[in-house]
Amino acid sequence: MESNVNFDYLKYLSASSDKKAILNELMNAYGKDVWNYAYSITRKWDQADDITQEVFIKVYRNLSTFRSESSVKTWLLAITRNMTLDYRKAAFYRKVTLVDFIASRGEYEQTAASTEHEVLNKMAVNEMWDMVLKLPVKYREVLILYAHHQLSMKEMAEVLGVSEGTIKSRLFHARGKISKMKGSRSLGSDG
């Protein structure tokens, strides 16, 4: 849900502006969106935490580069996507993934989860969310940007760096894959 906070003043930033106050407002208004989007791509709590922190560090350093050509939310989600893709390419990502693969799931579940993590865990258990997370990234991204972040076709194209036609095609195929998964699950439960 888009915050009612007015960020028009971002385009008028000067060196004397209170960047910390602006960053604080951005984090309060969009922090959950950034984290949820990073998590939807990585499917890892700790990586989503790290990426979210890195996104806001980058935003802080680059506040003056915001050109108001898109919404603040679109700008932040584009930064999040790029940061996530960079993170996934890093050697660290490959090492962590290997460790996660080898380690038993129980070790991670023993750590105490915050209330927010508990709520998000319940969301992840949801059948539809589970199906979306099983989709390939290119389909998962468009569904999440469309359904959860409520971006327009144009905004999704900006965030993903593809044409609106590609967005429409990916949405069509993503919905088809979800329908197929639903059909498979209902057939499996009938037997």
Side-chain angles (χ1 to χ4, degrees):
M1 179 183 230
E2 186 80 27
S3 172
N4 291 333
V5 180
N6 184 352
F7 291 105
D8 288 340
Y9 60 84
L10 282 178
K11 62 185 170 187
Y12 301 111
L13 278 178
S14 67
S16 63
S17 294
D18 187 356
K19 288 170 65 173
K20 288 181 182 177
I22 294 167
L23 181 67
N24 190 42
E25 286 185 45
L26 289 173
M27 289 172 65
N28 287 333
Y30 299 106
K32 286 182 183 178
D33 289 330
V34 168
W35 189 91
N36 286 333
Y37 189 41
Y39 177 77
S40 74
I41 297 171
T42 64
R43 294 187 259 183
K44 300 200 179 295
W45 296 108
D46 55 340
Q47 288 178 15
D49 289 344
D50 291 346
I51 290 165
T52 300
Q53 184 174 1
E54 290 298 318
V55 165
F56 285 107
I57 289 170
K58 186 171 186 165
V59 165
Y60 180 78
R61 291 180 183 147
N62 297 293
L63 272 174
S64 62
T65 65
F66 179 70
R67 296 185 303 263
S68 297
E69 293 171 0
S70 60
S71 71
V72 173
K73 184 176 183 176
T74 301
W75 181 58
L76 289 170
L77 292 177
I79 293 170
T80 304
R81 181 177 191 269
N82 292 334
M83 190 76 64
T84 303
L85 295 177
D86 290 347
Y87 194 90
R88 292 179 74 185
K89 290 176 189 172
F92 176 76
Y93 175 79
R94 289 189 291 277
K95 289 177 189 173
V96 169
T97 302
L98 181 62
V99 169
D100 286 351
F101 177 75
I102 293 170
S104 71
R105 227 168 123 59
E107 292 173 345
Y108 291 105
E109 292 173 352
Q110 290 172 2
T111 59
S114 69
T115 303
E116 182 179 6
H117 283 147
E118 288 176 27
V119 169
L120 290 171
N121 270 334
K122 289 177 185 175
M123 284 177 45
V125 172
N126 178 287
E127 185 177 332
M128 184 59 76
W129 184 242
D130 185 46
M131 286 188 281
V132 169
L133 289 178
K134 288 180 181 173
L135 291 173
V137 172
K138 68 181 184 179
Y139 300 127
R140 188 177 344 135
E141 281 184 317
V142 293
L143 282 177
I144 289 167
L145 290 174
Y146 180 76
H148 181 72
H149 296 288
Q150 300 175 341
L151 297 186
S152 68
M153 297 288 175
K154 182 181 179 188
E155 289 172 323
M156 286 190 291
E158 287 177 36
V159 169
L160 299 177
V162 297
S163 71
E164 287 183 54
T166 300
I167 296 296
K168 290 176 185 175
S169 173
R170 287 182 183 177
L171 274 173
F172 175 81
H173 290 291
R175 288 177 181 138
K177 289 182 179 296
I178 292 290
S179 293
K180 189 174 180 180
M181 282 186 216
K182 283 182 179 177
S184 294
R185 284 187 179 198
S186 64
L187 287 176
S189 63
D190 291 343

